[in-house]
Amino acid sequence: MAINIKPLADRVLVKRLEEEEEQKIGGIIIPDTAKEKPQEAEIVAVGPGKTEDGKRIELEVKVGDKVLFGKYSGTEVKIEGEEYLIMREDDILAIVG
């Protein structure tokens, strides 16, 4: 499903990648509400880049890249029932190979 959203400047739209295994501590299953959200996501849309001294600086990330980001980075948004994050490229820590 294509998303019709274009982030501005150096912002990116990402979708968190779900963790595959349940977290268990001492045999106790942690409910979904108490689990930490994953800090890995896939880039869904990118902005054109920021402008400095009249020149456009393109982003290093592209749609489809898997990235790691800071724990409290970005702004959560809900689009067509799906949860996404909008964040600046500076909030991205690394691209996962």
Side-chain angles (χ1 to χ4, degrees), residues 8-10 48-59 88:
L8 300 176
D10 64 337
K50 62 183 171 184
T51 305
E52 284 186 11
D53 299 325
K55 295 180 184 174
R56 176 82 57 191
I57 300 172
E58 291 189 22
L59 301 177
R88 291 193 176 275

Side-chain angles (χ1 to χ4, degrees), residues 22-83:
E22 285 185 352
Q23 293 181 349
K24 295 182 182 180
I25 299 175
I28 299 172
I29 297 176
I30 308 299
D32 287 340
T33 55
K35 290 182 184 176
E36 284 192 23
K37 292 185 178 178
Q39 292 174 264
E40 188 173 349
E42 183 174 349
I43 305 278
V44 177
V46 297
K50 62 183 171 184
T51 305
E52 284 186 11
D53 299 325
K55 295 180 184 174
R56 176 82 57 191
I57 300 172
E58 291 189 22
L59 301 177
E60 292 184 44
V61 295
K62 62 187 181 307
V63 173
D65 283 349
K66 289 182 175 53
V67 296
L68 296 175
F69 56 90
K71 192 174 208 171
Y72 302 105
S73 299
T75 302
E76 292 183 0
V77 293
K78 200 170 218 178
I79 303 167
E80 297 177 4
E82 295 283 331
E83 289 189 13

Side-chain angles (χ1 to χ4, degrees), residues 4 11 13 23 27-28 41 49 52 82 88 90 92-93 95:
N4 194 18
R11 290 181 177 85
L13 181 71
Q23 293 181 349
I28 299 172
E52 284 186 11
E82 295 283 331
R88 291 193 176 275
D90 293 346
I92 296 173
L93 305 174
I95 298 173

